[in-house]
Amino acid sequence: DAGVIQSPRHEVTEMGQEVTLRCKPISGHDYLFWYRQTMMRGLELLIYFNNNVPIDDSGMPEDRFSAKMPNASFSTLKIQPSEPRDSAVYFCASTLGLAGISSYNEQFFGPGTRLTVL
Amino acid sequence: SQQGEEDPQALSIQEGENATMNCSYKTSINNLQWYRQNSGRGLVHLILIRSNEREKHSGRLRVTLDTSKKSSSLLITASRAADTASYFCATARTYMNSGYSTLTFGKGTMLLVSP
């Protein structure tokens, strides 16, 4: 398996523009997570899905952020409009829930998308 | 509040020495996991220790868990320059009324191993 795939790897955009980050989880995994990593706040969970259904989006910072998972092999995280404080590395991770619980197994992370909003 | 807190924030050692990183947490957990992150890369799982386990080994890694003190340690023996990375602990909680749970990551320990 190729692992978790994210695109693009780097994104530079101007304030106010729409940004779409993409993720392909490992085939067969039933949980998908979006994280944001910054020096100040570390790694924060934004939202996660189980079997394509959003379970908890309480980590999404504002309504400008939205995420979808239209099928088991694809998810997007969209920021509209983007702001300079959204600059961070965004990670997608997936796992196979053991006994139906996501944290009983290791999470597999993608390489991340480094977003810079000017 | 942050569930896992690593200590120290940064550690610099010479090749061949052992590196010890600590993690403290605040609430009861189901398991604790350690991850490594090389610069510019995603996190990679190293080892998972369950709440009923006290010690676990994997190659040059040794993890201990003390649930009474709510702390864990990661020991890397005979370190190599390739071990240079950031190391994160992540704690897993289970919510009582559902099967869902997530991992909460600490801010990490940055390890530098010099040749």
Side-chain angles (χ1 to χ4, degrees):
Chain A
D1 201 315
V4 176
I5 299 172
Q6 290 187 249
S7 64
R9 292 294 310 277
H10 302 274
E11 177 82 27
V12 180
T13 190
E14 293 188 346
M15 183 174 62
Q17 297 297 305
E18 177 179 298
V19 175
T20 299
L21 311 181
R22 297 173 178 78
C23 174
K24 176 179 167 53
I26 290 174
S27 177
H29 283 186
D30 55 350
Y31 283 87
L32 182 140
F33 307 84
W34 282 100
Y35 292 91
R36 178 173 68 176
Q37 186 178 40
T38 61
M39 288 295 294
M40 288 298 294
R41 300 175 68 88
L43 196 66
E44 303 173 279
L45 176 64
L46 301 178
I47 184 172
Y48 76 99
F49 296 82
N50 176 225
N51 291 323
N52 314 339
V53 176
I55 301 302
D56 185 352
D57 65 354
S58 59
M60 297 284 259
E62 298 170 34
D63 291 345
R64 298 183 296 106
F65 286 70
S66 63
K68 293 182 180 179
M69 192 165 185
N71 56 62
S73 59
F74 184 65
S75 177
T76 59
L77 178 67
K78 185 176 293 186
I79 308 173
Q80 165 65 13
S82 58
E83 296 182 3
R85 58 193 168 123
D86 302 331
S87 296
V89 181
Y90 291 81
F91 288 102
C92 175
S94 70
T95 192
L96 179 63
L98 186 64
I101 296 175
S102 67
S103 61
Y104 285 5
N105 275 337
E106 63 181 287
Q107 290 186 13
F108 293 81
F109 281 75
T113 295
R114 182 173 294 277
L115 173 65
T116 303
V117 183
L118 302 173
Chain B
S1 62
Q2 201 88 15
Q3 173 73 321
E5 297 285 346
E6 290 91 343
D7 168 61
Q9 290 187 337
L11 180 61
S12 183
I13 60 174
Q14 299 289 316
E15 260 190 332
E17 295 180 338
N18 295 341
T20 299
M21 288 158 271
N22 303 296
C23 171
S24 60
Y25 56 92
K26 294 183 171 62
T27 63
S28 62
I29 61 172
N30 175 277
N31 67 70
L32 186 146
Q33 303 178 27
W34 285 91
Y35 287 77
R36 182 188 73 221
Q37 183 180 31
N38 289 87
S39 180
R41 303 287 186 91
L43 280 73
V44 175
H45 182 266
L46 295 175
I47 195 165
L48 180 155
I49 186 166
R50 303 193 191 285
S51 60
N52 61 355
E53 297 176 310
R54 292 295 167 260
E55 189 171 311
K56 205 163 182 179
H57 297 256
S58 177
R60 293 184 296 113
L61 304 180
R62 173 179 169 254
V63 170
T64 62
L65 179 64
D66 187 334
T67 53
S68 66
K69 295 181 179 178
K70 292 185 168 58
S71 67
S72 174
S73 68
L74 171 67
L75 168 68
I76 304 174
T77 60
S79 63
R80 306 165 182 167
D83 294 329
T84 295
S86 291
Y87 292 82
F88 296 85
C89 70
T91 49
R93 300 171 64 187
T94 302
Y95 296 99
M96 292 301 293
N97 296 321
S98 78
Y100 299 109
S101 64
T102 57
L103 293 179
T104 303
F105 287 82
K107 288 193 175 180
T109 292
M110 192 176 299
L111 173 66
L112 174 63
V113 182
S114 301

